[in-house]
Structure formats: C-alpha cells, structure tokens
C-alpha cells in the first residue's frame, strides 16, 4: 500500500533520515552533499528550517508502512512552483512511488494557482530525466545552477499545470 504524508517542522527527524539516505545513496543526483548536511550541518534548527520554508509542501511516501521516498514543492514566483529534493529509496523503485510524488506536487501547485512546475536535474542523470519526461516535463532551454566543474549547469525542465 502506498500512502503520502505531508510533513511539518516537527517531522524533522523523518525528513533528516530520508534526506541523509538520499544524499548517501545518490550523491550524483543532488546539488547538496552528504557532508554538508552532517557534522556541523546536522542541527535540529537547520532541519526544522528546511521544513518551514513559507508556502512549501513537503511529502514523504510510505510503501507498506515504511518510508520510501520524498519530495518538496516550493514557491518560485506568482505562477510557478518548483519540485525539489525528489528521491525514492532503491527498494521502492519501480512501484509508482516517484509518479505519485510528482502528481502530488502537481496538485499542490495547482491549488496555489501555479501555471508551471519546474525542476532541475543533474545533466548526467538520465534515469531521472526519463522519469520526468514520462510525466510530461520538457527541457526549458534555461541555464540551471552552475555545477562544481564550472562548465556545465543543471538541466532545467518544466511542465504546464493545466487546471483539473
């Protein structure tokens, strides 16, 4: 059984557990690093702040009662929202968790009146790009956040959020 749960700042231990697992399992997929969120970066107030972004929507997917994935939607202007921190545990992949998280972010965006849902994906993360394309996202042609190599940037993708 697949369930989604919206998180608040008091749920920071669960978000922390999943975020650290995501950064450890798929370091190539995120702009953040595991080291940046451990050690001195691993503080309750920082995790709570991450879950307290004004207007944001944070979700955790539970598959058969166990945490299996996460995603956040954050405001990105008056008519645009952004999908960030998307990750699904490898043991839950191929079971629709990713698609449900994306659809939930789309519904949230529509309730905010957003017309567009954007995201950034690492340029070499073909598996994630294929997931997003399957869900109606396309390249925007925009320059994404520069990568550490100083040459490339993140790949920016978006989709229209039509009412309904």
């Amino acid at each position: 059984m697949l369930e989604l749960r919206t998180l608040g700042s008091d749920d920071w231990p669960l978000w922390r557990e999943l975020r650290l697992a995501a950064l450890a399992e798929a370091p190539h997929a995120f702009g953040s690093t595991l080291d940046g969120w451990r050690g001195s970066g691993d503080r309750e107030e920082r995790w709570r702040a991450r879950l307290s972004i004004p207007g944001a929507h944070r979700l955790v997917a539970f598959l058969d009662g166990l945490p299996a994935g996460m995603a956040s939607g954050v405001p990105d202007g008056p008519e645009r929202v952004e999908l960030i921190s998307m990750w699904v545990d490898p043991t839950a992949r191929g079971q629709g968790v990713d698609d449900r998280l994306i659809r939930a972010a789309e519904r949230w965006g529509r309730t905010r009146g957003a017309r567009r849902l954007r995201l950034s994906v690492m340029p070499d993360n073909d598996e994630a790009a294929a997931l997003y394309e399957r869900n109606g996202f396309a390249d925007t042609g925009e320059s994404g956040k520069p990568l550490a190599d100083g040459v490339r940037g993140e790949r920016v993708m978006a989709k229209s959020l039509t009412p309904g």
Side-chain angles (χ1 to χ4, degrees):
M1 184 154 114
L2 179 58
E3 298 176 78
L4 299 184
R5 186 171 122 202
T6 302
L7 301 185
S9 63
D10 288 341
D11 297 309
W12 70 268
L14 175 59
W15 185 261
R16 176 189 179 274
E17 173 189 337
L18 286 170
R19 182 68 173 161
L20 294 177
L23 293 170
E25 188 275 325
H28 62 281
F30 299 99
S32 299
T33 65
L34 183 59
D35 286 343
W37 282 90
R38 289 194 312 194
S40 64
D42 189 2
R43 299 179 319 275
E44 178 180 342
E45 62 273 9
R46 186 175 183 204
W47 292 108
R48 283 183 180 276
R50 183 70 163 80
L51 292 175
S52 300
I53 297 170
H57 186 64
R58 292 136 322 262
L59 293 168
V60 168
F62 290 85
L63 186 60
D64 298 327
L66 298 173
M70 62 191 286
S72 286
V74 294
D76 187 28
E79 294 186 347
R80 205 166 66 181
V81 291
E82 186 172 4
L83 178 64
I84 63 170
S85 301
M86 173 88 174
W87 177 75
V88 174
D89 188 285
T91 62
R93 292 179 187 158
Q95 299 184 58
V97 176
D98 46 12
D99 296 320
R100 283 276 305 272
L101 287 166
I102 291 169
R103 285 194 307 270
E106 291 172 10
R107 281 191 303 276
W108 164 79
R110 282 188 199 97
T111 65
R112 291 186 53 84
R115 295 177 183 245
R116 197 160 171 86
L117 176 61
R118 291 173 22 116
L119 60 85
S120 295
V121 63
M122 291 298 178
D124 297 330
N125 195 344
D126 296 334
E127 187 176 336
L131 162 70
Y132 298 132
E133 288 169 353
R134 185 177 79 235
N135 278 276
F137 288 84
D139 282 308
T140 65
E142 299 171 49
S143 297
K145 180 180 170 185
L147 300 180
D149 65 13
V151 177
R152 301 175 304 154
E154 292 178 336
R155 182 176 173 187
V156 179
M157 302 178 79
K159 75 178 290 183
S160 175
L161 294 180
T162 55

